Amino acid sequence: MYCEFLRRVLPIALASCVSAAAQAGTVLLQSTTSTQNSGLYDALLPQYTAATGDRVRVVAVGTGQAIRNARNCDADVLLVHAKAAEEAFVESGFGRSRSDVMYNDFVLIGPVANPAGIGSDMSVSEGLRALYDARAPFASRGDDSGTHKKEIALWLGASLAPEQHSGDWYLETGTGMGATLNIAVESNAYTLTDRATWIQFGNKQDHEIVLEGDESLFNQYGVIDVDPTHCPNVDHASATRFIKWLTGEPGQAAIAAYRVDNQQLFFPNAAP
Amino acid sequence: MSEVLPLSVRSLTVQRGGKPLLNVPDWQLQRGESVALIGPNGAGKSLLLRALTGLLDNGVEQAVSWAGQTPGPAVMSRCGVVMQQPLMLRRSVEANLYFALERALAGDALKAQAAQALHAAELADKAAQSARVLSGGERMRLAVARALALSPDCLLLDEPTASLDHSSARNVEALVSGACASGATLLLITHDLALARRLCSRTVLMHRGEIIADAATDTFFDSPPNSQAEAFVRGEYLE
Amino acid sequence: MHSFSEAFAEAASLLLSFDPALLEIVSLSLRVSLLAVLIAALIGLPLGALLAIGRFPGRNLLTIVVNTAMGLPPVVVGLVAYLLLSRAGALGPLELLYTPTAMVIAQTVLVMPIIAGLSRQSFVELHSEYREQLQLFGLSTRAQLKVLIWDARYALVTALLAGFGRATAEVGAVLMVGGNINHYTRVMTTTIAMETSKGNLAVALGLGMVLLLIAFAVNALVHSVRVRAERAAYV
């Protein structure tokens, strides 16, 4: 009876509130934050809605949380950037199939004064080594996000274990990219971020990119349709339609066309 | 409407923390009587009134019989009661009357009765004001008017003239004696012995939770029934 | 700090432009929080009154529970609501997660104990004043509740305001169950959190000022009503 009350009364009470309730073509997209914070969806989704009439609702959280939410079936589509975790998600039967969508790259940002002396010609491993030796403050996401997973892999690649210095110069913020950038800026720390978020970030103060271009900084975004056999309530038809558009010619062109300050933030690379 | 009088009390005891506060083995109030309940502060007068009106729980009401009924809403609808906090100060003067009258009346009859009661209490010009802005005397007049508004069979008043000025006290006294004249039974708690003599035909003295003297008012004051009553009438402290 | 002057300019321009996106966010904030406060009041006021005047076993325990719940952390409420409303949760079939309805539910849970706890205190005071009269007049418990709620109304408005303030100001619960979805579940606080994370501190602060302004307007309105009542000595 209580459920019945919620189902009937609340939506009626809110009907004036909300332009339209969920209709046939509504895609719930669990996404990483960088794609939302960079403004990509604001450019992309109206085009999709105009083309198909479908609506896309984006919940932007860290990759780790997005995957967990999708595992709870609270998503029709998952768009994140942690390829290994994405493949595991599909293999465990939560996702139907994974496709590449686009890429950009990670960059290491730090104070202009660059106390660790990281050179722009260094490799990532060398840069991290310099940082480690200088005990320069470094802000880590520490939240199981795609960026965090990448950062861990990079430290591992450099055979360094900064976690033992956690709380000293290695600062695990446990929050999103934006909050971590704010902390890095205020505490004169270095941090790893995806380029799109950095370009769009409005509080750079005296921070800049200190290292970029290394091959291992490649950042691949993938899209997955949540498996309807695992989650019978997902709108799989709408999900498939959206993914087809995103990885198809119109979506890829729209991604390539999105620019901030004349810089392209994402590079489409879906398999044709 | 069933009769609520006579009132009789049998084996009424109230204790708190093992200390006896009230002990009335046997006491009656007859229809048409007017009784003054006097005694020093803490004697148990107000407590007795609360027991009679059913405001005490713990089964005390079983010792009280209003013509065979235990005190409760049915009996109280025939009684006009003024306790020490007798008004709803967050409501207007007339709303206080309406609240009492709603039990029996509605619509125009209710309004007319309220207007009449306000007039009798000399409060007609304050009808729409908040009860909070009334003076102490006006508040008590309103409380008495409210208690009288439904022409109760029995009036139970707890110090209705305490700390009132002369004119308010006279108004209250006039309201009460008018009700008595038209047949209402009265139980009046007061420290004003002169008022007791004027209004009441019988006087009851309480001390330490017990009734220690009970006599016709004339007798009580002219030849007190015992030494304690005599001392109290003379204005001495009771031991 | 330079952000503040920028933020003032940003707040002013946001307000003066009547930016439709801003209006949408503000109006959703208000509607979600007002509805939550309304539902919370319908449950919380009778509960507060019952805790004040009722005599039933477990009353003291329930009072302690309500008082504890007054300080419920929004993220905890958000998390529990998420787990329940998730498609994998007990109430999953209702399909309420990431809807304004879910936000109303979460805020109702947050606000109801505040309204119940604060109103209980008002009812206790009023009841000590009214107890004998209500009892003598033989009012049923339900009728007593009605009298107490009506006569304590000016004091209760303060409890409702506290609840409304809590509802409009919290971000943890609405973010978790609403998802901050653009044009759908994005409210003032989640927008502020998002703009902060984008480093748009001036925009975030500007929005914060708009939020404060609304809170100020609501408080001013209620205060004026109360002052008028006080002048007529009804409080």
Side-chain angles (χ1 to χ4, degrees), chain A residues 2 7 13 24 32 39 41 62 70 78 94-95 102 121 131 139 142 145 170 175 198 201 208-209 221 234 241 259 264:
Chain A
Y2 176 64
R7 204 207 308 267
T32 177
Y41 292 132
L78 182 64
F94 300 117
M102 61 195 182
D121 54 341
L131 215 155
S145 61
Y170 185 73
T175 59
W198 178 247
F201 187 64
E208 62 177 11
I209 295 173
Y221 290 85
V234 297
R241 203 152 52 232
R259 269 152 220 276
Q264 183 173 346

Side-chain angles (χ1 to χ4, degrees), chain C:
Chain C
M1 207 184 125
H2 68 107
S3 301
F4 277 102
S5 51
E6 277 178 48
F8 278 114
E10 190 68 46
S13 80
L14 279 171
L15 282 175
L16 293 175
S17 65
F18 289 104
D19 179 23
L22 177 70
L23 288 182
E24 182 185 53
I25 289 168
V26 169
S27 86
L28 182 65
S29 282
L30 289 179
R31 282 184 282 199
V32 164
S33 295
L34 283 174
L35 191 54
V37 168
L38 179 73
I39 298 171
L42 290 178
I43 307 166
L45 292 182
L47 177 61
L50 211 57
L51 289 177
I53 72 166
R55 296 202 174 164
F56 52 91
R59 184 176 69 124
N60 288 327
L61 181 67
L62 191 57
T63 304
I64 294 168
V65 168
V66 165
N67 285 341
T68 307
M70 285 172 75
L72 276 181
V75 280
V76 173
V77 171
L79 180 60
V80 172
Y82 167 78
L83 291 173
L84 287 173
L85 297 176
S86 162
R87 279 175 183 159
L91 302 176
L94 298 179
E95 299 270 347
L96 287 175
L97 190 67
Y98 304 134
T99 64
T101 308
M103 298 157 81
V104 171
I105 293 171
Q107 288 196 343
T108 301
V109 171
L110 268 178
V111 164
M112 195 280 284
I114 294 178
I115 292 179
L118 292 180
S119 66
R120 189 189 74 90
Q121 200 46 48
S122 304
F123 287 129
V124 165
E125 283 164 27
L126 182 62
H127 190 236
S128 73
E129 195 181 317
Y130 279 12
R131 202 176 74 87
E132 291 180 343
Q133 299 180 56
L134 296 178
Q135 225 172 319
L136 285 174
F137 283 38
L139 267 59
S140 66
T141 305
R142 176 191 283 264
Q144 291 194 28
L145 290 185
K146 265 163 93 177
V147 168
L148 289 177
I149 289 176
W150 178 246
D151 280 28
R153 61 193 179 282
Y154 294 109
L156 297 180
V157 165
T158 310
L160 296 188
L161 263 192
F164 180 73
R166 166 83 152 182
T168 49
E170 74 86 21
V171 60
V174 281
L175 186 58
M176 287 207 78
V177 301
N180 188 35
I181 297 170
N182 203 4
H183 304 307
Y184 188 50
T185 58
R186 185 164 296 173
V187 292
M188 300 286 290
T189 52
T190 59
T191 312
I192 291 170
M194 185 187 70
E195 292 298 340
T196 304
S197 83
K198 284 156 82 171
N200 298 331
L201 302 191
V203 179
L205 206 52
L207 282 165
M209 286 174 192
V210 174
L211 186 60
L212 279 177
L213 212 63
I214 292 168
F216 182 84
V218 171
N219 274 287
L221 182 76
V222 171
H223 188 71
S224 73
V225 171
R226 213 189 140 93
V227 164
R228 210 172 309 150
E230 260 164 23
R231 211 166 286 154
Y234 281 109
V235 178

